[in-house]
Every structure is written in C-alpha cells, then in structure tokens.
Amino acid sequence: MLVHGTIHPQQPELARSPTREVSTLTLVRPDDWHLHVRDDDALDVVVPHSAACFGRALIMPNLRPPITTTVQALAYRERILAKVPPGLAFEPLMSLYLTDNTPPDEIDLAKASGVVIAAKLYPAGATTHAEFGVSAVDLIHPVLERMEKLGLVLCVHGESIAPDVDIFDRERVFVEKTLSPLVRHFPGLKIVFEHITTAEAAQFVRVSGANVAATVTAHHLFYNRNALFAGGVRPHFYCLPVLKRESHRQALLQAVCSGNPRFFLGTDSAPHTARTKETACGCAGCYTAPLALGLYAEAFEAEGALDRLEAFASLNGAAFYGLPPNEDKITLRRESWKVPASYDYCGDKLIPLRAGGAVAWKLAGDV
Ligand code: DOR
Ligand code: ZN
C-alpha cells in the first residue's frame, strides 16, 4: 500500500499515532464481503455505488422470497450485472439462503457454479427477511457436512433468537450456545461470523482456528449505541446486530487494526426506503455503500493504523475465500465531501448513513 504525505519514518512509534497526516492512500481495489443490493429498481441506485469502489461483493440472499437455489442465484447475479455502469468491472459473488429444508445436493450445485461461494445461516426471524431462516441448527447438519466436505463457506448471522435473551446479549449468547458447538462439530467448515459487534465475538474469532473469520462493518467500527438515541430516536442508525456500547466498539477497532488476517471488510450496506425506516416499526439496516470506504479510512486513521487498511479491505477477505486479490488499485484522497441528504429510490428516498454530513476521505475520480 502506498501512503503519501507527511510521514515520519525515522520514528516508527508514530506508526500508530493518530496525529500522522497523510494526504493520499493507494490500495489494491477492495472487496465488500457482505452486501445487500435488493432487486429490480433498487439495483439501479445501489449497484453503481458499490461498483464505483469495490471490485467484488458477496451478495446477501435475503430477498423476499429468498435466494435458496443456485438457479435463482445465477439469475439474480445476471440482474445485478445488468446494472453495473459501463466501464466498471464489478463482480457479484453469490450466496444461498439456508432454510430448514435446504437439500444437501444444493450445495453441490452451488460449488459447481463457481460463483456461488457461500451459504448464509440466518437464525429464523433474527433480522430483515429472516423469517424463512433456520429454526434449529441441528436441522441443517447434513447440509453443513456437505459444505465442510466441498469447501463452501458458511456465513453466519450470529444472534440468538431465544425470546428471553436481551437484544444487546444476542450475539454473545449465540457464540456460547450455537457457534462454539458448531465450530467444534464441524472443525473443517469455513465460517464467516458476519458483522460482529462485540468483544466476545472478536475474541472468539481470535482464538478460533484458520477456518473461522469475521466481517466488520464501517458503522459498527464508527458508532456506538448512543448514536441510536442522540437527542431522540435515530432510525438510520438502527441495524442488526444493533450497535453496542463503546467498550465493544473499542474491541472491534483493536481487532481490525491488529493485523489478524481473519478480520475483513463487509459493509452490510442495507438499503431501505425512508418510509420503511422512519415509521413506528422501522426496518433494520444502514445504507453505507457510497461512503463506507471513507468511513473505514476514518476509523483506521483515528487508531493510527491507516497502514493496516489495505489488508483489511483488499487482501484478507479474498485470501479467506481462496481468491486472488484484485489486480487494479484505487486511490483515496484526503478531501472532505458531503454525503447526499438522500437518493431517489424506488419511488421514495434512500437516506444514507451520515446523510448531509462530511466524510474525510474521497475516492479519487469520484465526482
Ligand atoms: O441491519 C441489517 N439489515 N441487518 C441484517 O442482518 C439484514 C439487513 C437487511 O437486509 O436490511
Ligand atoms: Zn447483512
């Protein structure tokens, strides 16, 4: 990674100093290992935002109805590809949505496709469009065995769905009650613990073997749960897993800046219309695609760890999925830009995170 600007190489201890000023960052083009793009008209708006920055993205399958078969995933991929702006080379990689009834042979089809690289475990009802998810992990053991055998990655939404578990404890309880036993039962299964939000999840990944990794979102790195209630209820900060207390945010920052290759970028950018966010029972999801890389850069910079951003954003995820890194590079410039207040979206508005606010890092070439 090239870092230009005012650096003090003679003082290596400054390598972690937040005061170090650099003006541009050139990195291998990053990938987004956790992205929601929805379908139909939504694709027109959101696909160009991700394609402007990321080389590849792992597309989440929680449409309604969900993407449960390889045939559906391949057709969905074509619909996404049709919305990639000319001149950009964005590659959607696909995932299947596991249900209680997924047949193990579907895993063979996914593997053979070459573009379905993962299957997603949503505990039933845990999040947006998760009502078709898995009601008990035991029910999908034959599917997990097949995934372990064929090397298809399991992506996990790691939250307990037990109704008596406090919403802020759901991830920790999931680690104890579900994920730990699952990792023990399937030691060869490659698992990505998606959008981790707690110190316990980061620690679980740290002490697990090479088969267990985690994605971390920009919003969980940047905000704690106070953001949800700053002066009133802030629906655009509501996502699942919900933002956690500051000590957990600090633990996530430590994990991603540690250089451990099993932590990597997954934005979980999740568009919803303003109408469905700003209502009595609003949807979970933060729309971050247009600003995510700038947010990550801000978070790494605040930790004095800009030199660790490239591995997190561009190298670690590809390596975990057994893919080569992208061949081209991007440059981020230190140049404040204003996040639009909204985008026109599906006959309504799409309000991005930090709408109307400023981001300190801008993708060179972006207007
Ligand atoms: O906040 C979230 N939004 N979390 C998820 O797990 C799903 C996502 C969505 O699809 O909107
Ligand atoms: Zn998600």
Side-chain angles (χ1 to χ4, degrees), residues 13 15 33 56 115 145 221 261 334:
E13 71 275 14
W33 295 102
R56 296 167 287 199
V115 293
E145 258 162 45
L221 278 183
R334 181 190 298 286

Side-chain angles (χ1 to χ4, degrees), residues 34 36 60 195 268:
H34 186 125
H36 300 268
M60 290 298 121
H195 42 53
D268 199 16

Side-chain angles (χ1 to χ4, degrees), residues 81-320:
L81 279 170
K83 301 302 167 75
V84 176
L88 295 179
F90 178 70
E91 189 186 350
L93 296 163
M94 309 309 290
S95 58
L96 293 187
Y97 185 117
L98 297 175
T99 71
D100 289 350
N101 304 311
T102 302
D105 287 352
E106 192 60 49
I107 302 305
D108 297 60
L109 298 175
K111 187 70 188 175
S113 75
V115 293
V116 179
I117 62 165
K120 179 87 186 262
L121 165 56
Y122 286 106
T127 187
T128 308
H129 302 168
E131 58 273 30
F132 309 100
V134 174
S135 55
V137 172
D138 293 2
L139 296 174
I140 60 162
H141 272 199
V143 172
L144 298 179
E145 258 162 45
R146 194 70 63 90
M147 291 175 67
E148 183 179 40
K149 182 167 158 226
L150 297 182
L152 198 79
V153 171
L154 177 72
C155 297
V156 179
H157 182 108
E159 288 196 283
S160 167
I161 47 174
D164 56 336
V165 174
D166 187 279
I167 188 165
F168 292 102
D169 296 333
R170 285 180 188 171
E171 189 173 274
R172 180 176 57 74
V173 172
F174 185 86
V175 170
E176 286 166 22
K177 298 261 170 67
T178 307
L179 194 55
S180 292
L182 193 141
V183 168
R184 276 199 301 277
H185 198 96
F186 297 99
L189 182 60
K190 289 185 97 167
I191 298 174
V192 180
F193 192 173
E194 299 292 340
H195 42 53
I196 60 166
T197 62
T198 57
E200 290 85 356
Q203 178 63 5
F204 178 78
V205 172
R206 211 177 277 119
V207 301
S208 294
N211 284 347
V212 178
T215 54
V216 186
T217 78
H219 44 287
H220 288 104
L221 278 183
F222 215 93
Y223 296 102
N224 65 34
R225 65 192 191 181
N226 286 350
L228 274 165
F229 307 108
V233 174
R234 302 279 183 164
H236 297 290
F237 285 96
Y238 173 56
C239 62
L240 288 170
V242 72
L243 293 171
K244 301 298 191 298
R245 65 167 66 240
E246 177 63 10
S247 56
H248 291 296
R249 187 180 82 86
Q250 290 296 334
L252 297 181
L253 281 168
Q254 216 186 355
V256 300
C257 295
S258 70
N260 184 323
R262 288 182 292 110
F263 295 100
F264 48 84
L265 186 155
T267 64
D268 199 16
S269 178
H272 293 274
T273 59
R275 216 173 15 243
T276 55
K277 292 284 294 172
E278 298 171 359
T279 180
C281 184
C283 293
C286 300
Y287 186 62
T288 58
L291 66 151
L293 196 62
L295 273 188
Y296 282 114
E298 286 186 9
F300 274 70
E301 181 167 39
E303 293 301 298
L306 270 180
D307 58 340
R308 297 273 162 99
L309 179 63
E310 183 182 50
F312 173 79
S314 315
L315 306 178
N316 297 348
F320 187 82

